[in-house]
Structure formats: structure tokens, C-alpha cells
Amino acid sequence: MASNSPSPEGIDVPETPTAGAWGEWNPTEDSARSVRGKHRVLKQRGGLARSSTVLGVGVIAAVGAGGIATAQDRPQVAISMPSLPDLPDLLGGGGHAAGAAGTDTAAPAGAAAAQSAGIPGQADGRGHGQADAGEALRHRILQQAESQQEAVETQARADAERTAREAAAQEARAQKEAADREAETARAAAEKAAAEKAEADKAAEAAATTAAKAAEGGGSGSGAGAGTKASGGYSLPTSSYTLTSHYGDSGSMWSSGHHTGLDFAAPTGTPVKAVGGGKVISAGWSGAYGYRIVLQLDDGTEVWYCHLSSMSVTSGTVGAGETIGRVGATGNVTGAHLHLEVRKGGSTVDPLAWLESKGLSV
């Protein structure tokens, strides 16, 4: 704009230049048009301000000598500056601008750096925002990958544990089945052995009964005595026997150094009978004697029946000639036989002499 105020040198400047001074000049559209490339004004994008270059050019043109632009042989041209938005808003608070007066009082360093890099004023903040967003996205992706990896590892551990449990259960079932088979085999073998023993006992009993009937009527002394005939209320302890060891025999087979009884060798299962009337005061296992029955007669004499295979009477009163057990080979023996002991007052006596004293022929 023109001014009538004195210039800095004190020279009055006419309000309007005359044609005689510069010559007549009428600006045309071409001469008034901005030279392309010198004063390019960037179009506003998304609310952003025009380039600060326009502001700089406008300020230089506006602050000429005394506010008047001169040119040789050309009239003055008034330059008007468009109003600019607040630069701090555009440049992210990086400075202050006097847009209304057309004068740039402070050039924001952040805006100049952004403009020189071809980035809008908000480039720094937006770049940091984008970097933060990218870092957050990367962090979320890593967290998701770690979660998925942990889930896979957890599932793998669970599968391994389940497989181990199933294998252990299968192994336990296999062992149980094997044990059941072994137990069944053992039961079958025991049943078979029991059946065979029962058959053997029946056969032995039948043979003994037949032999007893055939030999009934008397014994044969110390040889093949077979009689069990009672004499005066007494009976031989067994039948179909052979005397193998007598009372007082010495040898290493007896713990006391000598034999304390009389041995009647007979097949296993041969009936064993009470030599006289009395009561059974003991029956059961007795170490080296094997299965033993102790019969106490009415006069207090004790008769021991040892190495029995079975016991028919284990308590109560019996009569002479009654079957109380069967010949066997239990305890300390070398074969099936009946070991007969006779004790009076706790001491052993010769069974052979005692039997003969009762009128029995052994």
C-alpha cells in the first residue's frame, strides 16, 4: 500500500506515481500472472496450510522500502496477502506466525525442517504415532505367537502324559492277565493232584481192607504179621505190615541215639486202629513225628501213633480196633510206616513186649 509518511531518508514520496516518471504501463493478465515455478502455492490438503515459501515471498515483497514496491518504468502493484491459518496448529505447536499482518515474526524450526523434507508439519507426531502403532502391532503378534506356541507345547505334554498312562494301564492289564493265567494253571494242577491223591487213598484203603480180611485170624510174629484180632479187649495197631525197626535199636536216624518205638511198615493209607479203649488227648502235627495221634488208655498208658498220612479221629473216646487214622510217611521218615510208642508215667517202654503182654501176637 502507498503511504504519505516520510521515508527513512526524509524525502517525500508522491502518493501516486505519474506516467511521465515511469511511462504509461497497463498490466495485462499475462504480465500480472505469477511466474510459474517462482511463487508456487501448494494447495491445501486435508486442512493443511500453504507452503511457508509463499509466506516468505509475501513478507519480502511487503516490507520493501517504506512499504512501497518499485520497479523501473512500471507503476506500483499492490500485493495483498491471503489470510493464513494459525501456523502452530499446522506445525504441531512449533512456532508463532503473524498471518493477519502479513509478517512472519518467527520461523518455526520444526516447520522448516518438515518443509525441507517435503513432509507436512504434523509429520513428526504422525511418524511417532505410526512407529508406536507398528511396535504395538508387532508386540501383539509376538504375544499371539507365544500364546499359540505355549498352547501347542501344553497339548503335546498332555498327549504324552495320556499316552504314558494308557501304556502303563495296558501293561498292568497284561500283567494281571498273565497272573490270572498262572493262578488258574496252579489251581488246575492242585485240583488234579488232590484228585490223584484221593484215588490213591481209595485204592490203598481197598487193598488194606482186602489184606486185612485175608489175614484175619492171627499175626505172623516178627515177619509178615497181618492179624488185628482183639485179645482181651486189645487189638493190633494195623494189618499187612512188616516190622522194620524195634525198640532200642541204635543209629544216626534217631535223635536220641536209639529207637524209642516199634515200626510197622505198610502201604500208605493202611488203616490204623486203637489198640485199646480210651480217649484221644492229642492229634496234629508234631515235627519229626509228622502227623501224630496220642491215645490215652483207661489205665493211663499212652500210645503214640506217628507219621500218619491222615487222622480220622482227633478227639473223643474210641474202642479197641476202631480206625483212628491211616499209615503215611510224614515227618522224619525214609518210607511209609507206623511208628508206635508206648509210654507209662512219661517214660517209653518196649511196644512189642507190651503188646504181647496184652495177649497179642505181633
Side-chain angles (χ1 to χ4, degrees), residues 177-234:
E177 291 175 357
D180 291 342
R181 287 194 297 269
E182 292 178 357
E184 184 65 25
T185 302
R187 283 195 298 269
E191 292 175 356
K192 183 179 180 181
E196 291 177 353
K197 182 178 182 300
E199 291 294 332
D201 290 343
K202 289 180 180 179
E205 184 176 0
T209 301
T210 301
K213 288 181 179 179
E216 188 174 356
S220 59
S222 60
T228 58
K229 186 176 180 178
S231 175
Y234 290 92

Side-chain angles (χ1 to χ4, degrees), residues 165-258:
R165 288 195 299 269
E166 292 176 354
Q170 185 175 1
E171 180 66 19
R173 286 194 298 270
Q175 293 178 355
K176 184 178 182 300
E177 291 175 357
D180 291 342
R181 287 194 297 269
E182 292 178 357
E184 184 65 25
T185 302
R187 283 195 298 269
E191 292 175 356
K192 183 179 180 181
E196 291 177 353
K197 182 178 182 300
E199 291 294 332
D201 290 343
K202 289 180 180 179
E205 184 176 0
T209 301
T210 301
K213 288 181 179 179
E216 188 174 356
S220 59
S222 60
T228 58
K229 186 176 180 178
S231 175
Y234 290 92
S235 174
L236 290 175
T238 188
S239 60
S240 300
Y241 61 86
T242 299
L243 297 179
T244 57
S245 296
H246 293 75
Y247 181 79
D249 289 346
S250 61
S252 60
M253 295 185 297
W254 302 290
S255 59
S256 61
H258 66 277

Side-chain angles (χ1 to χ4, degrees), residues 67-86:
I68 300 175
T70 59
Q72 187 176 3
D73 299 332
R74 291 181 182 175
Q76 282 185 321
V77 177
I79 299 174
S80 62
M81 291 297 297
S83 62
L84 299 176
D86 191 6

Side-chain angles (χ1 to χ4, degrees), residues 269-293:
T270 302
V272 173
K273 302 180 182 300
V275 296
K279 64 179 180 180
V280 176
I281 61 174
S282 176
W285 183 260
S286 183
Y289 286 107
Y291 286 108
R292 181 191 67 174
I293 294 176

Side-chain angles (χ1 to χ4, degrees), residues 10-361:
I11 302 173
D12 291 335
V13 178
E15 182 177 359
T16 302
T18 61
W22 296 329
E24 185 177 356
W25 177 71
N26 293 321
T28 64
E29 182 179 356
D30 292 335
S31 62
R33 181 181 301 166
S34 299
V35 179
R36 188 176 302 274
K38 289 185 178 181
H39 305 294
R40 183 179 299 171
V41 179
L42 297 179
K43 293 183 178 180
Q44 185 174 359
R45 296 181 181 178
L48 297 178
R50 293 177 177 84
S51 172
S52 59
T53 304
V54 177
L55 177 60
V57 173
V59 170
I60 293 172
V63 295
I68 300 175
T70 59
Q72 187 176 3
D73 299 332
R74 291 181 182 175
Q76 282 185 321
V77 177
I79 299 174
S80 62
M81 291 297 297
S83 62
L84 299 176
D86 191 6
L87 289 179
D89 293 339
L90 296 178
L91 301 178
H96 301 279
T103 304
D104 189 356
T105 59
Q115 180 64 28
S116 63
I119 302 174
Q122 294 180 344
D124 292 342
R126 185 173 300 176
H128 287 299
Q130 290 176 352
D132 293 341
E135 181 64 21
L137 177 59
R138 186 181 71 84
H139 184 65
R140 286 197 298 271
I141 292 174
L142 291 177
Q143 285 184 335
Q144 184 176 5
E146 291 176 357
S147 300
Q148 292 176 353
Q149 181 65 24
E150 291 178 357
V152 170
E153 293 177 354
T154 301
Q155 184 63 34
R157 287 193 297 269
D159 293 342
E161 292 175 357
R162 183 176 62 256
T163 301
R165 288 195 299 269
E166 292 176 354
Q170 185 175 1
E171 180 66 19
R173 286 194 298 270
Q175 293 178 355
K176 184 178 182 300
E177 291 175 357
D180 291 342
R181 287 194 297 269
E182 292 178 357
E184 184 65 25
T185 302
R187 283 195 298 269
E191 292 175 356
K192 183 179 180 181
E196 291 177 353
K197 182 178 182 300
E199 291 294 332
D201 290 343
K202 289 180 180 179
E205 184 176 0
T209 301
T210 301
K213 288 181 179 179
E216 188 174 356
S220 59
S222 60
T228 58
K229 186 176 180 178
S231 175
Y234 290 92
S235 174
L236 290 175
T238 188
S239 60
S240 300
Y241 61 86
T242 299
L243 297 179
T244 57
S245 296
H246 293 75
Y247 181 79
D249 289 346
S250 61
S252 60
M253 295 185 297
W254 302 290
S255 59
S256 61
H258 66 277
H259 196 220
T260 56
L262 183 63
D263 289 347
F264 296 78
T268 299
T270 302
V272 173
K273 302 180 182 300
V275 296
K279 64 179 180 180
V280 176
I281 61 174
S282 176
W285 183 260
S286 183
Y289 286 107
Y291 286 108
R292 181 191 67 174
I293 294 176
V294 177
L295 174 65
Q296 186 180 54
L297 301 181
D298 294 338
D299 63 356
T301 302
E302 292 183 0
V303 181
W304 290 12
Y305 301 84
C306 306
H307 308 308
L308 302 177
S309 62
S310 63
M311 298 177 293
S312 303
V313 179
T314 57
S315 63
T317 303
V318 297
E322 184 177 343
T323 300
I324 58 175
R326 297 188 180 280
V327 174
T330 59
N332 186 16
V333 297
T334 58
H337 70 280
L338 169 65
H339 174 85
L340 185 73
E341 285 189 13
V342 178
R343 293 174 177 258
K344 286 186 176 183
S347 299
T348 61
V349 298
D350 185 357
L352 179 60
W354 183 84
L355 289 172
E356 289 178 346
S357 69
K358 301 302 180 183
L360 297 173
S361 179

